[in-house]
């Protein structure tokens, strides 16, 4: 099991695109080791395929193809643990997936080297595999018998191939094309019509047209005997080719030169001519394919985008781009004042890692700032001179500079002291303070060399070209303490890694201390090689864990919450980074322990390997127009009987907080077809099973998109109590809050949906009346409906510090006797059909209380112009954290996602668990309600100005407004969140 980044798009080089023969599905893959599945019509990501993979390049997919009979998807690349110095016969394995189920069908033990190209024959009977070496055989496999049918070796590396009947056409690195009859084991013809590497060859369905493309910018069209019929000088080097379905067009991906790829069309003279260009790509387009005749899909570029282009009208091309929202850094640095502050460049404005930094990140405070905010700070850059020594770069012999050389020169001496050759180029390089040379190249190559030019260590983490690196520096008179000797690197894989330079020369392979990932909306993740991490509030959703079950079995991906309790450890990350503040590390550790206690988990169970039940789910189609869904599940446990099935859709408990009980069956094995309704749009579905010992299986997660717009109704329920039976506790504005909120929400929603509003005020707000709301919501709401429950009044704490909402006839001195508990409020929205559920509470103490602390409650009076919505003030008495400058409860809430699975309701509270909720004449409302109304009516809560106010945006806006208006005395909180399900308020 290992941690992996998994944003919605690709985060690293995309090597392959394959389109199913029915033109319904597109597959993309590459260095991030994930096969992503896209619906060709909607262009949405619908599924992902995970295979046996590991750290470094293990699992990289270099090539894919789909059999013409639409039965198999084949994938190959670096499919075993990879070390260039260690032979591994499994590295060239080829996986065959059942195209219908997307499950691994079988495995072939292919070439004994990295496989860079595969292709099926047109009759689907054979598959060719080309290794990345002249010392390994090109292989042709019989798919039905799963036996090797033919092998062939060239003295120049083969790059690509194409089948027609018993012929294969090989494109070589030196520009030669060979025609071979593999049935007769005979070379038929060899031609050289290119000046450089042949990147791709395609053959028409009738075999009469063969097209080759090269990085020499030439496209050649031949007849079936390889006689040239036409030659085209393309606007860029060619990287990939593909025919349209009717063979009248072909797409040409670019390797360098023009910023656009080109499409050519057959004219009336039977010649191909320029049809259109498709822009939007910077850098290499490695993969391209037609979907039918009028749509192409392109993949690649420095931002690893997947681009769908409708080209039926060449003067008006319509494009849809899918990409990761990760940030690519083009240069990095370390602050001279602190090893805990790094900088990075979001824009490329110089080569060799010298791009000007734009942002800084503090590894302790986790703040991301513009570089302009630290005007006086100095950061290290690549160091190409050290005393009398300098590094001199020499270009390679081909356009990619793979064979470039880095030379060490001493001032005043002729020639070079050492030369460091490369097969992956030298893209950036630097001296270290210990007279070591660090060089970063293509495909994640990052190495350390001594002054003799000998490799002494290899840094293993990056998957893509190294864009920048920097080391801690000082003047020649000031030695650097060993604990501060750091290397920081950035790559096209959107990762920044931090390394310990003390390990250079002591370890052959060095893993990073930690790696970082940033998104374009300033979320961040920091993780260690052994899977521990810390992340921003929404950052963790971009990571997960891959669990391997063997090279011949499918791997499974589990989102972060599956293992979050064990691996989300900010204290461990601080320790790995060498943060020496003991109080901070202790505070982080105690925040972690407090979190486990909140979740009802003991530390011993986290450290041990738990016995878990298992569940298997038969996934439905990824896109459907049928709202009703039926899914077959199978659950089992070898030790305990099964207790319940849990089903969550977009974080909402479909069977309520307790799940579907199967305990009465007293069985260790359970199978059934579960039927439920889908919501319009995306449905993130999670199944799990619990055993009678309380252990929950790993969740089976998948997405189903319902492509049907269903009628949405909005149910608004507002409760406000200003007049109580015990009149000494009357309020001024709580009832008005409920009326104002109902009016604003009705006006907001009546434009686009049917609105049903219930307003309950003062004497009507009894416990019996509020409890009846559950039946009303169960009987009337439907899957796509939205329910907003707003409550304003006094908030109290019982003797166990549980929140109690004060109903009209509550006993204020004994609120637990007849008040409405938070659990009872939450249950009003549990298991109702509606899935978009929001609970807003404008009352004192409505946030969560840290029950590990000691409190006392006493009657207090406030400023005569301000009223609080709490009868008693809660004060700390000998708090457990009194000797610490860190509040571990608040730290816990800021560091960790709340994984307690509730009803799926998003609960926003007006105040912290020990805070007042205030109302005042100047607001004519409670300050929380006033801020909500202002944000909605002015539309100022639309923080990103996209015309839509999301639930998270209204929370963020209200938090800022309330803090501002109360000068920090009142702080709204999200008492319960639904991670990953944010919808329009």
């Amino acid at each position: 099991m290992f941690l992996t980044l998994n944003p919605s798009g690709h985060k690293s080089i995309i090597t392959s695109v394959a389109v199913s023969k029915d033109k319904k599905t597109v597959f993309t893959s590459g260095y991030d080791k994930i096969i992503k599945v896209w619906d060709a019509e909607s262009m949405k990501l619908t599924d992902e395929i995970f295979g046996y993979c590991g750290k470094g390049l293990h699992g990289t997919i270099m090539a894919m193809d789909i059999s013409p009979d639409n039965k198999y998807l084949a994938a190959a690349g670096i499919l075993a643990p990879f070390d260039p110095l260690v032979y591994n016969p499994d590295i060239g394995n080829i996986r065959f997936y059942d195209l219908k189920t997307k499950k691994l069908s079988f495995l072939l033990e292919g070439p004994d080297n990295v496989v860079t190209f595969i292709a099926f024959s047109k009759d689907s009977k054979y598959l060719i595999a080309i290794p990345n070496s002249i010392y390994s055989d090109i292989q042709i496999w019989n798919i039905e018998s799963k036996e090797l049918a033919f092998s062939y070796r060239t003295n120049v590396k083969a790059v690509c191939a194409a089948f027609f009947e018993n012929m294969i056409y090989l494109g070589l690195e030196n520009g030669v094309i060979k025609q071979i009859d593999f049935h007769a084991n005979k070379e038929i013809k060899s031609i050289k019509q290119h000046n450089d590497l042949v990147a791709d060859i395609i053959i028409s369905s009738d075999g009469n047209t063969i097209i080759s493309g090269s990085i020499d910018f030439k496209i050649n069209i031949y007849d079936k005997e390889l006689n040239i019929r036409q030659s085209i000088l393309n606007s860029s080097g060619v990287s990939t080719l593909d025919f349209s379905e009717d063979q009248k067009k072909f797409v040409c991906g670019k390797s360098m030169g023009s910023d656009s790829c080109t499409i050519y069309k057959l004219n009336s003279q039977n010649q191909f001519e320029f049809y259109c260009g498709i822009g939007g790509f910077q850098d290499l387009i490695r993969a391209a394919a037609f979907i039918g005749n009028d749509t192409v899909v392109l993949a690649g570029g420095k931002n690893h985008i997947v681009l769908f282009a409708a080209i039926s009208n060449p003067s008006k091309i319509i494009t849809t781009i899918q990409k990761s929202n990760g940030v690519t850094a083009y240069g990095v640095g370390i602050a001279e004042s602190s090893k805990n502050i790094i900088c990075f460049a979001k824009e490329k404005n110089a080569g060799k890692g010298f791009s000007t930094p734009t942002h800084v990140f503090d590894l302790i405070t986790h703040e991301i700032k513009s570089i302009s905010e630290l005007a006086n700070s100095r950061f290290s850059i690549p160091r190409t001179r050290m005393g009398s020594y300098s590094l001199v770069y020499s270009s390679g012999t081909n356009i990619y500079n793979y064979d470039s050389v880095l030379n060490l020169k001493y001032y005043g001496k002729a020639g070079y002291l050492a030369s460091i050759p490369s097969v992956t180029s030298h893209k950036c390089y630097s001296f270290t303070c210990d007279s070591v040379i660090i060089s970063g190249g293509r495909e994640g190559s990052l190495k350390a060399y001594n002054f003799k030019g000998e490799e002494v260590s290899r840094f293993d983490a990056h998957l893509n070209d190294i864009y920048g690196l920097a080391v801690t520096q000082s003047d020649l008179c000031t030695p650097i303490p060993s604990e501060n000797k750091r290397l920081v690197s950035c790559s096209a894989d959107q990762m920044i890694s931090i390394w310990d330079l003390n390990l250079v020369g002591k370890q052959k392979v060095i893993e990073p201390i930690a790696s970082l990932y940033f998104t374009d909306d300033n979320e961040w993740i920091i993780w260690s090689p052994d899977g521990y991490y810390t992340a921003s509030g929404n950052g963790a959703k971009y990571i997960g864990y891959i669990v391997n079950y063997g090279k011949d079995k499918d791997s499974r991906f589990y989102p972060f919450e599956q293992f979050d309790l064990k691996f989300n450890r900010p204290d461990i990350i601080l320790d790995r980074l060498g943060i020496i503040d003991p109080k901070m590390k202790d505070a982080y550790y105690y925040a972690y322990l407090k979190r486990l206690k909140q979740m009802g988990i003991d530390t011993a169970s986290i450290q041990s390997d738990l016995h878990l039940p298992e569940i298997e789910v038969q996934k439905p189609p990824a896109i459907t127009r049928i709202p009703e869904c039926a899914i077959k599940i199978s659950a089992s446990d070898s030790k305990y009987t099964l207790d319940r099935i849990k089903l969550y859709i977009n974080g909402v408990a479909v069977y309520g907080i307790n799940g579907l009980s199967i305990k009465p069956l007293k069985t260790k094995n359970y199978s059934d077809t579960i039927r439920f309704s889908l919501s319009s749009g995306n449905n993130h579905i999670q199944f799990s099973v619990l055993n009678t010992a309380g252990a929950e299986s790993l969740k089976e997660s998948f997405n189903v998109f319902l492509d049907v717009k269903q009628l949405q109704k909005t149910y608004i329920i507002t409760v406000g109590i200003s007049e109580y039976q015990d009149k000494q506790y009357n309020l001024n504005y709580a009832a008005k809050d409920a009326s104002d909120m109902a009016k604003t929400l009705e006006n907001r929603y009546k434009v686009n949906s049917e609105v049903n509003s219930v307003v309950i005020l003062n004497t009507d707000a009894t416990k019996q009346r509020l409890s009846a709301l559950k039946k009303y919501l169960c009987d009337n709401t439907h899957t796509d409906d939205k329910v907003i429950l707003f409550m304003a009044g006094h908030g109290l704490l019982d003797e166990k510090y549980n929140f109690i909402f004060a109903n009209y006839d509550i006993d204020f001195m004994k609120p637990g006797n007849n008040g409405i508990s938070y659990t009872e409020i939450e249950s009003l929205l549990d298991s109702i059909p509606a899935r978009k559920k929001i609970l807003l509470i404008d009352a004192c103490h409505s946030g969560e209380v840290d029950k590990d602390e000691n409190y006392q409650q006493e009657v207090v009076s406030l400023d005569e112009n301000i009223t609080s919505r709490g009868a008693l003030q809660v004060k700390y008495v000998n708090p457990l954290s009194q000797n610490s400058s860190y509040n571990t409860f608040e730290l816990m809430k800021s560091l960790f996602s709340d994984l307690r699975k509730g009803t799926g309701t998003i609960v926003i509270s007006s105040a912290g668990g020990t805070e007042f909720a205030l109302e005042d004449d100047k607001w004519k409302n409670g300050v929380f309600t006033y801020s909500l109304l202002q944000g909605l009516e002015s539309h100022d809560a639309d923080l990103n100005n996209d015309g839509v106010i999301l639930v998270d945006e209204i929370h963020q806006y209200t938090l800022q407004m309330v803090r501002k208006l109360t000068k920090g005395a009142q702080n709204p909180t999200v008492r319960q969140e639904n991670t990953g399900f944010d919808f329009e308020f």
Side-chain angles (χ1 to χ4, degrees):
M1 182 178 75
F2 67 97
L3 181 149
T4 186
L5 289 170
N6 189 24
S8 56
H10 286 283
K11 69 176 183 64
S12 194
I13 292 174
I14 305 172
T15 58
S16 303
V17 169
V19 179
S20 63
K21 303 312 172 185
D22 59 8
K23 313 302 178 187
K24 292 182 178 180
T25 311
V26 176
F27 300 83
T28 58
S29 63
Y31 277 65
D32 56 10
K33 311 170 188 178
I34 304 167
I35 299 175
K36 293 186 180 282
V37 186
W38 310 83
D39 177 71
E41 182 179 357
S42 67
M43 304 169 210
K44 294 181 182 295
L45 182 67
T46 59
D47 206 351
E48 292 171 321
I49 302 172
F50 297 88
Y52 176 53
C53 57
K55 293 180 180 179
L57 295 175
H58 174 201
T60 299
I61 299 171
M62 306 294 289
M64 285 193 312
D65 197 24
I66 291 175
S67 58
D69 61 7
N70 222 38
K71 187 175 181 180
Y72 293 120
L73 168 71
I78 307 174
L79 301 190
F82 177 72
D83 186 329
L85 301 178
V86 178
Y87 172 71
N88 189 332
D90 289 335
I91 207 159
N93 287 346
I94 306 166
R95 297 175 186 150
F96 290 78
Y97 294 94
D98 183 302
L99 204 63
K100 185 177 181 180
T101 64
K102 302 178 183 67
K103 297 290 186 183
L104 185 64
S105 182
F106 63 93
L107 190 78
L108 290 180
E109 296 180 356
D112 58 357
N113 208 304
V114 175
V115 175
T116 55
F117 183 91
I118 57 175
F120 281 97
S121 61
K122 294 186 184 299
D123 58 7
S124 301
K125 291 181 179 180
Y126 299 97
L127 180 126
I128 187 169
I130 298 178
N132 189 37
S133 172
I134 61 172
Y135 303 109
S136 298
D137 289 344
I138 298 165
Q139 297 179 344
I140 296 180
W141 288 84
N142 184 305
I143 304 304
E144 184 177 355
S145 68
K146 301 179 179 58
E147 293 179 348
L148 186 63
F150 176 77
S151 62
Y152 184 80
R153 186 173 292 193
T154 62
N155 57 5
V156 177
K157 189 166 71 173
V159 177
C160 58
F163 276 101
F164 188 76
E165 296 177 345
N166 59 319
M167 297 293 178
I168 55 169
Y169 298 80
L170 291 177
L172 305 186
E173 195 173 44
N174 61 354
V176 169
I177 296 175
K178 288 181 178 290
Q179 181 185 15
I180 300 165
D181 184 334
F182 72 93
H183 284 179
N185 194 10
K186 180 181 178 181
E187 182 176 313
I188 305 299
K189 193 172 186 178
S190 179
I191 63 170
K192 182 175 171 61
Q193 296 294 340
H194 289 288
N195 300 319
D196 211 325
L197 176 151
V198 180
D200 204 0
I201 299 173
I202 55 175
I203 303 178
S204 62
S205 56
D206 60 8
N208 290 326
T209 302
I210 301 170
I211 303 177
S212 66
S214 167
I215 61 176
D216 66 1
F217 286 53
K218 281 174 61 178
I219 301 170
N220 291 327
I221 295 104
Y222 315 86
D223 62 22
K224 61 170 35 177
E225 281 80 33
L226 285 180
N227 301 308
I228 282 199
R229 210 167 64 202
Q230 182 185 356
S231 188
I232 299 171
L233 184 62
N234 194 47
S235 60
S236 68
V238 177
S239 60
T240 184
L241 300 166
D242 190 46
F243 270 120
S244 61
E245 186 176 23
D246 61 9
Q247 321 280 291
K248 293 181 179 179
K249 300 187 191 83
F250 70 87
V251 59
C252 167
K254 74 184 189 74
S255 61
M256 63 176 298
S258 169
D259 281 340
S260 64
C261 83
T262 46
I263 294 174
Y264 295 90
K265 184 178 181 179
L266 200 63
N267 63 23
S268 57
Q269 286 77 44
N270 206 32
Q271 296 281 296
F272 282 98
E273 62 184 10
F274 177 81
Y275 177 72
C276 67
I278 302 172
F281 279 88
Q282 294 175 305
D283 204 6
L284 175 67
I285 298 175
R286 286 179 177 255
F290 261 95
I291 306 172
N293 296 316
D294 295 316
T295 302
V296 293
V297 56
L298 309 172
K302 68 178 184 180
N303 292 319
H304 320 306
I305 68 174
V306 178
L307 183 148
F308 295 84
I311 61 167
S312 57
N313 183 349
S315 62
K316 191 177 181 181
I317 296 171
I318 301 171
T319 61
T320 301
I321 293 176
Q322 304 287 356
K323 72 180 188 71
S324 157
N325 66 344
V327 170
T328 301
Y330 296 97
V332 284
I334 306 171
E336 292 185 2
S337 59
S338 171
K339 67 177 181 180
N340 299 317
I341 298 177
I342 63 170
C343 68
F344 56 97
K346 284 188 176 182
E347 300 170 1
K348 184 177 181 179
N349 49 40
K352 304 301 181 188
F354 284 94
S355 290
T356 305
T358 57
H359 291 77
V360 296
F361 181 71
D362 191 313
L363 295 168
I364 300 177
T365 65
H366 303 145
E367 290 182 292
I368 302 174
K369 294 182 179 179
S370 168
I371 194 79
S372 60
E373 297 181 56
L374 283 80
N376 297 322
S377 293
R378 291 165 57 94
F379 292 88
S380 61
I381 59 175
R383 187 178 184 180
T384 59
R385 298 187 68 90
M386 187 178 71
S388 297
Y389 293 95
S390 63
L391 295 172
V392 180
Y393 174 81
S394 297
S395 298
T397 58
N398 63 37
I399 60 174
Y400 295 117
N401 288 311
Y402 280 113
D403 56 347
S404 60
V405 178
L406 188 62
N407 303 291
L408 177 64
K409 184 171 179 60
Y410 188 83
Y411 180 75
K413 285 191 175 182
Y416 298 122
L417 297 180
S419 293
I420 305 171
S422 175
V423 294
T424 58
S425 186
H426 295 283
K427 294 183 70 68
C428 50
Y429 35 84
S430 176
F431 287 111
T432 75
C433 60
D434 293 324
S435 300
V436 170
I437 301 166
I438 308 291
S439 175
R442 295 183 180 273
E443 300 176 356
S445 174
L446 185 60
K447 297 177 180 180
Y449 302 89
N450 60 24
F451 273 24
K452 295 179 181 179
E454 300 166 333
E455 180 183 325
V456 293
S457 291
R458 173 165 54 89
F459 302 90
D460 189 20
H462 288 298
L463 307 175
N464 227 161
D465 296 0
I466 308 299
Y467 281 163
L469 58 85
V471 299
T472 45
Q473 298 177 8
S474 70
D475 58 62
L476 295 176
C477 300
T478 307
I480 298 175
S482 61
E483 65 271 14
N484 289 347
K485 293 180 179 179
R486 297 277 180 86
L487 164 69
V488 60
S489 58
C490 63
S491 166
D493 61 13
Q494 301 181 337
M495 294 195 308
I496 295 173
S497 291
I498 301 169
W499 314 82
D500 183 357
L501 285 175
N502 294 291
L503 301 177
V504 172
K506 299 175 183 176
Q507 291 182 195
K508 196 66 180 175
V509 179
I510 300 172
E511 290 189 323
I513 299 168
S515 295
L516 297 86
Y517 177 79
F518 300 99
T519 68
D520 51 19
D521 54 355
N522 286 338
E523 300 295 340
W524 53 266
I525 309 156
I526 310 173
W527 72 96
S528 64
D530 52 352
Y532 292 104
Y533 74 92
T534 183
S536 59
N538 290 315
K541 68 183 180 182
Y542 297 109
I543 64 172
Y545 291 84
I546 290 179
V547 179
N548 289 316
Y549 296 95
K551 67 179 182 180
D552 57 349
K553 293 181 175 63
D554 289 306
S555 296
R556 291 186 181 181
F557 174 83
Y558 295 100
F560 80 96
E561 61 261 27
Q562 297 276 357
F563 302 100
D564 192 71
L565 290 174
K566 181 172 183 177
F567 288 110
N568 189 348
R569 295 293 301 273
D571 57 312
I572 290 178
I573 295 298
L574 276 178
D575 189 61
R576 300 283 175 84
L577 290 170
I579 310 301
I580 58 175
D581 184 343
K583 287 187 177 180
M584 175 179 285
K585 286 195 285 190
D586 287 347
Y588 275 40
Y589 178 64
Y590 289 126
Y592 167 71
L593 294 180
K594 191 178 290 290
R595 186 209 193 188
L596 293 185
K597 184 173 182 180
Q598 182 192 61
M599 294 289 294
I601 303 292
D602 65 86
T603 54
S605 65
I606 286 292
Q607 300 305 322
S608 63
D609 292 327
L610 289 175
H611 172 82
L612 301 178
E614 296 181 350
I615 189 166
E616 292 188 2
V617 176
Q618 185 174 316
K619 296 180 183 179
I623 297 179
T624 182
R625 296 185 61 83
I626 302 173
E628 300 306 315
C629 190
I631 293 180
K632 293 181 179 180
I633 66 164
S634 298
S636 62
D637 194 302
S638 61
K639 190 173 182 181
Y640 302 101
T641 56
L642 302 174
D643 185 79
R644 71 190 80 171
I645 301 292
K646 286 199 170 185
L647 168 60
Y648 290 92
I649 299 181
N650 295 332
V652 177
V654 174
Y655 294 119
I657 197 168
N658 294 319
L660 175 66
S661 176
I662 55 175
K663 187 175 182 179
L665 300 177
K666 297 180 180 180
T667 181
K668 294 180 181 180
N669 295 281
Y670 177 80
S671 296
D672 198 3
T673 297
I674 305 295
R675 302 179 188 279
F676 53 90
S677 298
L678 296 169
S679 300
S680 295
N682 190 59
N683 293 260
H684 182 61
I685 300 171
Q686 293 181 303
F687 277 98
S688 65
V689 61
L690 283 80
N691 61 24
T692 49
E696 185 175 9
S697 68
L698 297 176
K699 296 180 181 67
E700 284 296 310
S701 304
F702 54 95
N703 293 301
V704 177
F705 190 88
L706 177 60
D707 195 16
V708 173
K709 189 71 175 177
Q710 301 182 104
L711 177 66
Q712 176 184 293
K713 298 179 181 179
T714 303
Y715 290 81
I716 301 165
I717 301 172
T718 62
V719 179
I721 311 172
S722 293
E723 299 173 3
Y724 286 89
Q725 194 173 72
D726 190 339
K727 299 185 184 304
Q728 65 175 313
Y729 295 109
N730 283 356
L731 295 168
N732 296 320
Y733 293 109
K736 181 176 181 293
D737 285 351
S739 298
D740 290 352
M741 185 60 68
K743 182 179 178 181
T744 295
L745 293 177
E746 286 168 12
N747 290 334
R748 178 174 178 79
Y749 288 111
K750 67 182 181 182
V751 178
N752 297 316
S753 71
E754 178 184 321
V755 176
N756 297 275
S757 184
V758 177
V759 180
I760 303 173
L761 304 176
N762 298 323
T763 56
D764 288 339
T766 63
K767 188 170 184 175
Q768 182 179 7
R769 175 72 176 91
L770 297 181
S771 298
L773 292 171
K774 176 67 175 279
K775 186 176 188 305
Y776 168 73
L777 294 173
C778 283
D779 291 346
N780 290 280
T781 67
H782 298 88
T783 300
D784 274 0
D785 292 344
K786 184 182 298 179
V787 175
I788 301 174
L789 174 56
F790 172 87
M791 304 179 77
H794 276 298
L796 310 169
L797 297 177
D798 66 12
E799 65 279 1
K800 294 183 179 179
Y801 306 118
N802 296 306
F803 173 75
I804 304 291
F805 183 76
N807 42 291
Y808 166 74
D809 51 352
I810 194 172
D811 181 345
F812 279 89
M813 293 300 101
K814 297 179 180 179
N817 288 354
N818 67 335
I820 304 171
S821 69
Y822 177 78
T823 301
E824 290 172 316
I825 296 171
E826 189 181 30
S827 71
L828 296 177
L829 302 178
D830 186 23
S831 67
I832 66 173
R835 291 182 185 150
K836 296 177 180 177
K837 302 178 290 186
I838 308 168
L839 171 59
L840 306 166
I841 308 176
D842 194 348
C844 288
H845 317 310
S846 49
E848 196 165 11
V849 173
D850 183 0
K851 295 180 182 180
D852 286 339
E853 301 285 10
N854 297 316
Y855 309 94
Q856 69 180 20
Q857 299 188 68
E858 57 186 41
V859 178
V860 296
S861 59
L862 295 170
D863 186 287
E864 62 181 7
N865 296 319
I866 299 177
T867 303
S868 77
R869 294 180 174 177
L872 302 173
Q873 182 189 28
V874 178
K875 298 175 67 177
Y876 285 104
V877 177
N878 298 322
L880 299 179
S881 56
Q882 64 180 346
N883 296 321
S884 172
S885 58
Y886 302 96
N887 182 320
T888 55
F889 185 68
E890 293 302 320
L891 197 58
M892 176 196 72
K893 292 196 291 183
S894 69
L895 290 172
F896 303 107
S897 296
D898 188 353
L899 300 182
R900 293 173 293 179
K901 286 289 189 182
T903 64
T905 303
I906 299 173
V907 182
I908 304 177
S909 305
S910 63
T914 60
E915 292 179 348
F916 288 126
L918 307 177
E919 60 176 37
D920 191 281
D921 290 343
K922 62 186 174 186
W923 303 315
K924 305 297 182 185
N925 289 108
V927 64
F928 175 72
T929 303
Y930 173 80
S931 299
L932 281 171
L933 295 173
Q934 286 292 308
L936 293 171
E937 292 171 356
S938 68
H939 224 68
D940 287 347
D942 180 13
L943 301 182
N944 61 1
N945 297 313
D946 65 351
V948 177
I949 298 176
L950 299 176
V951 176
D952 185 61
E953 286 181 307
I954 193 67
H955 164 242
Q956 295 297 333
Y957 173 85
T958 305
L959 172 63
Q960 295 167 15
M961 277 288 290
V962 171
R963 282 178 174 172
K964 180 179 178 181
L965 294 171
T966 64
K967 298 179 180 179
Q970 183 178 331
N971 297 276
T973 66
V974 175
R975 176 158 183 157
Q976 183 175 303
E977 56 187 327
N978 187 346
T979 306
F981 187 44
D982 197 8
F983 51 87
E984 184 175 1
F985 187 91

